[in-house]
Amino acid sequence: MGDRENVSGSARGRLYERIYDVARGIPKGRVATYGQIAAIVGKCTPRQVGYAMAAVPFGSGVPWQRVINARGTVSERAGGDGREVQRALLEAEGVRFDDLGRVDLSVFGWRGPGLKR
DNA sequence: AGATTGACTGCAT
DNA sequence: CATGCAGCCAATC
């Protein structure tokens, strides 16, 4: 059978799978930026991370909500809604947002794989 | 093969 | 803090 690496219908894994793997490494109650993920994965830019996150299948086990932009804000993605859902999920994990809807990356920002706190 | 878009980043104004 | 511009690379048309 042709091994076509068919991941969830569309898109080949490879790069995506690598990004998902890093995303799964984000501890609960912490958030990482697209640039951070890209740096850990290597050979990939924040755009690709964002693109990969947009392609995350629902319930795939990837904490896509823990991935936000470098400004500590939640990006407004296609569809318009969902941004508030992401915030609710993060708050449920212990991440605190300020009145402007921003997260203090110096406190909740993930420092990297294996490095906790 | 070329043009367009995109859950980004960083710096300049 | 808002807006604009350049760099970046993969997916889509």
Side-chain angles (χ1 to χ4, degrees):
Chain A
M1 319 359 176
D3 43 284
R4 268 298 173 219
E5 270 62 72
N6 192 19
V7 176
S8 306
S10 84
R12 64 214 45 31
R14 225 43 118 67
L15 185 57
Y16 283 46
E17 203 174 306
R18 181 79 178 136
I19 293 171
Y20 298 156
D21 185 52
V22 175
R24 288 192 188 97
I26 304 174
K28 179 179 171 190
R30 284 265 226 284
V31 293
T33 67
Y34 298 97
Q36 184 68 64
I37 301 295
I40 294 170
V41 173
K43 305 276 193 248
C44 130
T45 57
R47 284 268 174 188
Q48 270 51 355
V49 177
Y51 208 96
M53 284 293 138
V56 172
F58 186 77
S60 61
V62 179
W64 55 272
Q65 54 232 55
R66 291 179 191 151
V67 185
I68 62 178
N69 62 33
R71 289 173 185 147
T73 59
V74 177
S75 302
E76 184 178 4
R77 59 200 213 283
D81 62 308
R83 188 179 68 174
E84 297 180 19
V85 175
Q86 181 170 5
R87 175 173 171 171
L89 287 168
L90 290 175
E91 288 186 300
E93 294 186 354
V95 178
R96 299 231 262 153
F97 284 74
D98 70 3
D99 292 342
L100 299 177
R102 294 195 304 189
V103 179
D104 190 342
L105 295 177
S106 59
V107 177
F108 298 102
W110 184 38
R111 299 267 186 144
L115 184 60
K116 293 162 196 190
R117 285 216 260 221

